[in-house]
Amino acid sequence: MASDKSKDQTPEQLSRVKEIMDRQDWNDLLPRLVRMSLYLLRAKSGGTPTLGSASAGKTAEDYVMDAIIKVYKGERRWDPDKQPNLLFYFMGVLRSQIGHEHQRLES
């Protein structure tokens, strides 16, 4: 699940996550994640690729890179045994991040 935090993640688990992420084909994965992020941003913002002026112009690429960095640093917990497909995992993270940002801007 994308909302899992790293509180229970051991150094060994984080090391494993980093090793798996280091082996990813990012030339394939990044464009797919950016497209997903753009889709989510447009769905939440009425067709524009950002979530209003309060988002400080945060782009689809920004959301993707934030998600990757958070997982790589252990700020977001990814358990490859529960969700072996990294693309699907990151799609969930993006839905969560963009959804929370949208809710924050709406209130």
Side-chain angles (χ1 to χ4, degrees), residues 17 20-22 24 26 29 33 71 78 83-93:
V17 164
I20 294 169
M21 288 181 66
D22 287 345
Q24 294 304 303
W26 292 104
L29 194 56
L33 292 172
V71 172
W78 172 48
Q83 176 51 273
N85 188 314
L86 191 57
L87 174 65
F88 291 163
Y89 175 77
F90 273 119
M91 287 179 170
V93 172

Side-chain angles (χ1 to χ4, degrees), residues 24-42:
Q24 294 304 303
D25 180 359
W26 292 104
N27 290 325
D28 175 60
L29 194 56
L30 280 174
R32 296 169 79 184
L33 292 172
V34 169
R35 282 193 301 272
M36 176 65 172
S37 184
L38 273 170
Y39 169 80
L40 293 168
L41 286 168
R42 288 184 175 132

Side-chain angles (χ1 to χ4, degrees), residues 43-75:
K44 297 285 185 185
S45 65
T48 61
T50 60
L51 290 176
S53 60
S55 71
K58 198 168 179 184
T59 66
E61 291 86 354
D62 294 330
Y63 283 102
V64 171
M65 293 311 297
D66 286 348
I68 292 168
I69 289 167
K70 285 180 180 179
V71 172
Y72 199 81
K73 286 182 170 181
E75 294 171 15

